[in-house]
Amino acid sequence: MSAVTTAAADRGAAGVPVRGLTVLYDAGCGLCTHLRNWLVRQPQLVPLELVPAGSAEARRRYPGLDHTATLDEVTVIGDSGQVYQASRAWIVVLWALREHRPLAHRLSTPAGARLARGAVLAAAKWRGAQGHSRQWGGQTYPMADGWSYHPSTGWSHNPPSCSDGACATG
């Protein structure tokens, strides 16, 4: 068995083939539209379809999604119904690109995932500084992994407590 076959099996890629991805992006954000335009110019191993988040088309295709949330976090939907958000969405988009698939594999490791998360947080902070905080509604939004966003102070991290044993592995 080759290293490529082993890597694919380790990621469960053989179980659910991905033949296409839909990327929901914020069409009102300059950074998002720049990245959308960059994506359409890249050689793709898996076809990408780019649809404005929150649009009538996105709502028609994916009625079960929280479309307000898709404006907050980049969201990617696989052709078999897989939903990826935030840094995981960017990793799967890079995986779909011929020249960036090796980077996606590196970012899918625990160390790489921290790097990808940092990049997504930096982009979110930049978007907020550019006036793209309309979707936040002036509130604090906590996430299950301990990150929270507040428009006036940006991102902060307060990891969940492990005192109840919820973090235990084994």
Side-chain angles (χ1 to χ4, degrees):
M1 185 178 294
S2 74
V4 172
T5 304
T6 302
D10 289 345
R11 289 180 173 78
V16 181
V18 176
R19 294 182 193 93
L21 294 167
T22 301
V23 179
L24 301 180
Y25 70 97
D26 184 352
C29 165
L31 175 62
C32 303
T33 55
H34 174 77
L35 290 170
R36 178 238 178 254
N37 294 338
W38 177 80
L39 286 171
V40 297
R41 294 189 308 268
Q42 301 306 303
Q44 300 171 5
L45 293 170
V46 175
L48 297 176
E49 188 170 1
L50 293 112
V51 175
S55 67
E57 179 65 14
R59 291 175 190 282
R60 182 189 65 75
R61 289 185 188 196
Y62 310 107
L65 279 180
D66 176 351
H67 289 278
T68 301
T70 65
L71 287 166
D72 295 342
E73 297 280 358
V74 64
T75 303
V76 177
I77 299 101
D79 59 344
S80 294
Q82 311 92 322
V83 177
Y84 308 91
Q85 292 183 303
S87 59
R88 290 182 180 105
W90 283 114
I91 292 170
V92 79
V93 166
L94 290 172
W95 174 84
L97 303 177
R98 184 178 69 215
E99 295 173 14
H100 299 284
R101 186 167 277 185
L103 174 60
H105 285 288
R106 287 191 301 275
L107 292 174
S108 68
T109 66
R114 285 190 297 276
L115 179 65
R117 178 74 175 156
V120 168
L121 292 175
K125 188 167 184 151
W126 184 88
R127 285 183 70 205
Q130 301 303 310
H132 293 284
S133 59
R134 70 186 184 285
Q135 63 269 23
W136 297 107
Q139 301 175 24
T140 300
Y141 292 85
M143 298 180 196
D145 62 1
W147 287 98
S148 63
Y149 179 83
H150 189 279
S152 64
T153 58
W155 288 97
S156 62
H157 188 249
N158 186 15
S161 170
C162 293
S163 62
D164 62 0
C167 302
T169 60

